[in-house]
Amino acid sequence: ELLAIHGALALAILLGNRRAADRAPSILRRAYPDVIRRTLHRLAKLELISMAESNGEIIVTITTRGSQRVLRAKLDDLELRRPKRWDQRWRVIIFDIPEEHRVARRLFQQKLRALKCAPIQRSVYATPYPCTDELALLYEVFEVRPFVHVFETSSLGPTLDGRLRARFRLPR
């Protein structure tokens, strides 16, 4: 039951709801008001949310730090979905992230590998799966959007095409 309360509060907060406590099921709010209050105060102490009172209601807002924590949590759960049927398109990710952003570059590369994108060269990766939303999250988290380009193609040449089809276990 306590997990449900924390989950409902976290969901409301993560979705940017201004009245997080009101989103918790009413039966849980009545049964565990102290737990909800403590949870909100703990999140505020960690500077993940801010709380303000207005017209007798507590207004809860996610902070920049809280938003960053949400992005990191989304990043940890990120994976490319393999469609039932391949659309015969390769997504090629090319990047040239400057040396002054080397940490972001290294983390971006690690995440591409974790998403099972295939390295073609040091800063060129390919995947047969749609990845627009996932890449958008990576751009935001690592702040590398100006340095990354993505294009789709139906062929990467016979040698590379065959090698990648085998790697991703795609029909020939």
Side-chain angles (χ1 to χ4, degrees), residues 93-152:
I93 304 144
I94 300 171
F95 55 93
D96 187 14
I97 301 171
E99 183 61 23
E100 65 254 22
H101 302 289
R102 69 179 153 274
V103 172
R105 181 181 58 223
R106 185 179 50 80
L107 294 171
F108 184 73
Q109 283 177 305
Q110 286 176 353
K111 196 59 189 178
L112 288 176
R113 284 192 295 273
L115 291 172
K116 297 181 176 69
C117 293
I120 296 173
Q121 292 182 358
R122 190 187 319 212
S123 59
V124 180
Y125 286 73
T127 180
Y129 311 126
C131 56
T132 305
D133 295 339
E134 294 81 359
L135 288 175
L137 179 62
L138 295 181
Y139 301 151
E140 186 174 349
V141 170
F142 300 125
E143 299 176 0
V144 295
R145 180 66 194 114
F147 314 114
V148 181
H149 304 282
V150 180
F151 67 90
E152 289 187 20

Side-chain angles (χ1 to χ4, degrees), residues 45-65:
K45 189 174 182 177
L46 292 170
E47 297 178 359
L48 300 175
I49 62 169
S50 63
M51 297 190 321
E53 190 168 337
S54 174
N55 298 329
E57 289 186 332
I58 295 176
I59 307 298
V60 178
T61 308
I62 191 163
T63 63
T64 301
R65 185 174 179 180

Side-chain angles (χ1 to χ4, degrees), residues 13-29:
I13 291 167
L14 294 179
L15 294 175
N17 194 301
R18 297 175 57 91
R19 292 181 180 87
D22 289 343
R23 287 291 187 216
S26 60
I27 191 165
L28 295 175
R29 277 197 323 255

Side-chain angles (χ1 to χ4, degrees), residues 3 5 14 23 25 27 30 48 56 60 67 69 74 77 82 87-88 90-91 101 105 110 116 132 141 158 161:
L3 184 59
I5 292 171
L14 294 179
R23 287 291 187 216
I27 191 165
R30 285 193 302 271
L48 300 175
V60 178
S67 295
R69 176 82 58 96
K74 285 182 181 179
D77 295 336
R82 182 179 180 155
D87 64 0
Q88 304 287 316
W90 294 105
R91 284 74 180 174
H101 302 289
R105 181 181 58 223
Q110 286 176 353
K116 297 181 176 69
T132 305
V141 170
D161 222 58

